[in-house]
Amino acid sequence: MRSACLVAALAGFVYAAPSPAPQFLNFDEIEGADVPTVTGPPVDAVSEPITYDEAAAKASAAAEVTDDLSSPQKRDLAPRGVNEPCSPQPDGYGPKPTTDSPAAFLAYQPFADTANAAGANPPQGYQTSFQNLQASVNANSYMGLTTLKTYDTIKCQQLCDAANLCTGFNIYFERDPTLAPAEGCPNPAGFTNIKCTLWGSGVTKEAAKNKGQYRRDFQVVIAGSNGYTKNNPPDAQPGFTGPTEFGGAINAPGNYIGQKYFPGVYDAGKCAGACQANTAYDKRHPNSDGTYDACNFFNVYMLSKNNVPQGTYCSLYTKPWEKKYSTNYGQYRGNDYYSVSSSYGYTLNPQDPGHI
């Protein structure tokens, strides 16, 4: 079985011998994790398929934990193509102001009216997290983009519901160029795209940081941006009972064996994989008396920094804990507040006795 000295050196999975110590956030791992390089759609994209593979992510999480436990070393997306210079750009179905300028686009009242009406009537199973902003979401858990023909929150909701692990969406009007800006057309005429982006973590006002950018001399701006968050719990996990909803994160008086943090999409399956990999490793490296630390319960939650979702945090235990122990709602790191949301527990069924 791994020693405390060995595991203290590991940068990934952080092991703790079962003890009553509080389960504080491991900021070394959080700040040292590989952050996803894609935090939103490319500026020239009008569609982008959802490529998140839940099964592959779970397997990768398990492999990462095994690597972390057996080695002290931790272990980008391919560059995207660009449009041909001055080539016509697709879509542009949205309305546009009479004057073709960034200021006129931002001041166009029909955008605000549409967004405010849609914000007051969220799709069933969702709640409005923000409305009528002039910025779109930019976060670690980007899943995909679809350009719509109308400002249709129900269509966007259906796309989210059809995508595994989608927990929210952002719909907005965007001023885009009719031609791909280049030397021969640095500032072409603009038109309006209506974009629907899907996210694997909470869509919050604080995450709406993308106010647009320049493409050569053409200024992309955003208006009528609404965010919606799904009310549903995470999926069930094979071999576990749950999910059981908690208030905050579990802060148990004992039986805590470690934690793992995964930046990006909120995915309880990664925690299940981490829990199972931890048990498998310990079982291969038991104590001299044949005992080992079996992961019989895990707590998964979304970790946010200043209310901007960051990733999935997993805490592992040798026994299940009840909701009354879910008392850790967050912690400060300097001036930054790391908060807990979407906290759930999963219990291994049947329980592993922890001995050979």
Side-chain angles (χ1 to χ4, degrees), residues 224-301:
S225 177
N226 284 13
Y228 300 87
T229 301
K230 187 181 292 187
N231 299 326
N232 294 341
D235 292 340
Q237 297 299 320
F240 293 84
T241 58
T244 300
E245 186 175 10
F246 294 145
I250 292 292
N251 191 8
N255 302 99
Y256 171 65
I257 56 174
Q259 56 79 30
K260 182 66 182 174
Y261 171 67
F262 300 100
V265 171
Y266 176 64
D267 185 354
K270 290 182 176 179
C271 293
C275 181
Q276 293 165 329
N278 182 80
T279 298
Y281 183 91
D282 260 17
K283 195 170 184 178
R284 294 195 302 269
H285 303 82
N287 293 312
S288 58
D289 62 358
T291 61
Y292 57 90
D293 288 335
C295 179
N296 281 310
F297 173 81
F298 69 84
N299 176 205
V300 55
Y301 55 89

Side-chain angles (χ1 to χ4, degrees), residues 37-43 48 80 137-142 197 199 210:
T37 56
V38 177
T39 57
V43 64
E48 197 164 31
R80 301 179 182 277
V137 172
N138 186 278
N140 291 344
S141 57
Y142 171 67
T197 55
W199 301 87
N210 177 24

Side-chain angles (χ1 to χ4, degrees), residues 100-240:
D100 183 15
S101 70
F105 191 94
L106 293 173
Y108 192 52
Q109 190 60 39
F111 291 157
D113 293 343
T114 299
N116 286 328
N121 295 283
Q124 291 298 312
Y126 288 75
Q127 59 183 341
T128 303
S129 48
F130 62 81
Q131 69 185 55
N132 193 32
L133 298 185
Q134 293 182 340
S136 63
V137 172
N138 186 278
N140 291 344
S141 57
Y142 171 67
M143 295 185 68
L145 161 72
T146 299
T147 298
L148 306 176
K149 292 187 176 182
T150 61
Y151 194 94
D152 188 346
T153 57
I154 301 302
K155 177 62 177 177
C156 205
Q157 166 246 311
Q158 291 169 344
L159 292 169
C160 184
D161 287 347
N164 288 342
L165 303 180
C166 180
T167 63
F169 64 88
N170 181 202
I171 184 171
Y172 53 93
F173 299 101
E174 183 174 279
R175 179 179 186 258
D176 288 326
T178 55
L179 304 175
E183 185 175 353
C185 55
N187 190 17
F191 59 15
T192 303
N193 277 316
I194 302 170
K195 295 190 173 182
C196 164
T197 55
L198 308 185
W199 301 87
S201 65
V203 175
T204 65
K205 182 178 181 180
E206 290 78 4
K209 302 179 287 189
N210 177 24
K211 296 183 178 181
Q213 55 270 345
Y214 277 91
R215 296 179 61 184
R216 302 285 294 210
D217 295 337
F218 183 91
Q219 186 178 358
V220 175
V221 292
I222 292 159
S225 177
N226 284 13
Y228 300 87
T229 301
K230 187 181 292 187
N231 299 326
N232 294 341
D235 292 340
Q237 297 299 320
F240 293 84

Side-chain angles (χ1 to χ4, degrees), residues 84 119 280:
E84 292 297 321

Side-chain angles (χ1 to χ4, degrees), residues 21-106:
Q23 289 88 73
F24 295 131
L25 296 173
N26 187 312
F27 288 109
D28 288 340
E29 183 181 4
I30 293 168
E31 295 174 351
D34 294 328
V35 178
T37 56
V38 177
T39 57
V43 64
D44 58 353
V46 292
S47 66
E48 197 164 31
I50 298 164
T51 57
Y52 189 86
D53 187 326
E54 190 173 354
K58 181 176 180 180
S60 176
E64 188 175 328
V65 167
T66 301
D67 287 347
D68 287 343
L69 293 172
S70 57
S71 167
Q73 297 182 350
K74 286 186 76 174
R75 316 178 279 341
D76 227 14
L77 292 168
R80 301 179 182 277
V82 296
N83 290 296
E84 292 297 321
C86 297
S87 61
Q89 300 297 281
D91 297 338
Y93 294 108
K96 64 180 182 179
T98 303
T99 302
D100 183 15
S101 70
F105 191 94
L106 293 173

